[in-house]
Amino acid sequence: MIRVVLADDEDLIRGALAALLELEPDITVVAEVSDGDAAVEAVERLRPDLAVFDLEMPRRDGVAAAEAVGHRTPVVIVTRHARPGVLKRALAAGVRGFVPKTTPASRLATILRDVHAGGRYVDSEIAASALTEDACPLTARELELLRLTRRGGSIQDIARSVHLAPGTVRNYLSSAMAKLDTSSRHDAARRAWDEGWI
């Protein structure tokens, strides 16, 4: 049996996916959770053979949860919004599969079996988009600060969390705004998210 931890913040989607996977003779869902922190905790506690994470979840997105899990458990990301930049982040985090939510359940089961056997799977449309995507113009520090901005912190909160002066944080964010031609740090964070850079 392939033991799976399933994480998705949409109850209906998570329940339907779990029910469909349970119909497979060799797959069993050992836990269903609704956020990224709970996903990491369930993987650490249950040590499943595979983890299937939604990309967009509260507390920690699927890629951040995969980074926290590390290489101990193979992770497959399923997503409704398959942005090419996110694929690059996911692969860098060690994710073994990247699948759109439009994938039929029987196909997903096959992908899970392949990943469990040591393979990788990346949807061909997402892979093609990633190959033609523009390079990210932002530095690693600018991306980090935009990621924190997207989580809703004030400049002072962000500065404390990264051990920088508030003025330094403002300078980095202003630089990111100029590179992305946006009028606010929140617009810059939204643009970076839409591109899949954070």
Side-chain angles (χ1 to χ4, degrees):
M1 271 297 205
I2 300 172
R3 300 168 65 253
V4 175
V5 165
L6 179 59
D8 194 307
D9 63 322
E10 296 177 73
D11 294 345
L12 185 62
I13 300 288
R14 186 179 66 249
L17 185 53
L20 290 168
L21 289 175
E22 285 287 350
L23 294 174
E24 299 294 325
D26 57 342
I27 297 175
T28 186
V29 177
V30 295
E32 297 177 46
V33 297
S34 60
D35 67 65
D37 287 351
V40 172
E41 187 277 327
V43 168
E44 289 174 350
R45 180 171 44 86
L46 298 170
R47 301 290 183 204
D49 301 305
L50 285 175
V52 178
F53 294 165
D54 182 25
L55 175 63
E56 297 184 42
M57 295 186 289
R59 298 202 176 111
R60 210 187 293 225
D61 72 16
V63 175
E67 288 172 337
V69 166
H71 297 283
R72 296 184 303 274
T73 301
V75 175
V76 173
I77 297 281
V78 292
T79 182
R80 182 174 289 123
H81 309 290
R83 297 176 308 276
V86 174
L87 171 62
K88 292 178 182 175
R89 276 183 53 222
L91 293 176
V95 168
R96 305 287 301 173
F98 201 87
V99 184
K101 282 190 175 177
T102 54
T103 304
S106 60
R107 177 73 184 120
L108 178 60
T110 300
I111 292 165
L112 295 182
R113 289 182 191 102
D114 290 347
V115 169
H116 180 252
R120 285 185 183 265
Y121 177 84
V122 176
D123 177 74
S124 59
E125 298 267 327
I126 299 169
S129 295
L131 290 173
T132 58
E133 178 190 61
D134 292 335
C136 175
L138 304 173
T139 66
R141 178 65 87 175
E142 290 165 348
L143 290 170
E144 176 188 24
L145 297 178
L146 288 176
R147 194 173 294 116
L148 293 170
T149 295
R150 190 167 186 278
R151 293 180 186 156
S154 68
I155 294 289
Q156 287 72 23
D157 293 336
I158 293 169
R160 270 193 299 276
S161 69
V162 294
H163 309 291
L164 292 174
T168 304
V169 170
R170 281 190 195 89
N171 289 341
Y172 277 117
L173 291 172
S174 293
S175 173
M177 289 162 51
K179 289 176 182 178
L180 299 180
D181 194 26
T182 58
S183 58
S184 76
R185 64 190 172 104
H186 298 289
D187 287 343
R190 191 174 307 111
R191 166 85 192 280
W193 172 259
D194 288 343
E195 294 290 343
W197 298 329
I198 61 173

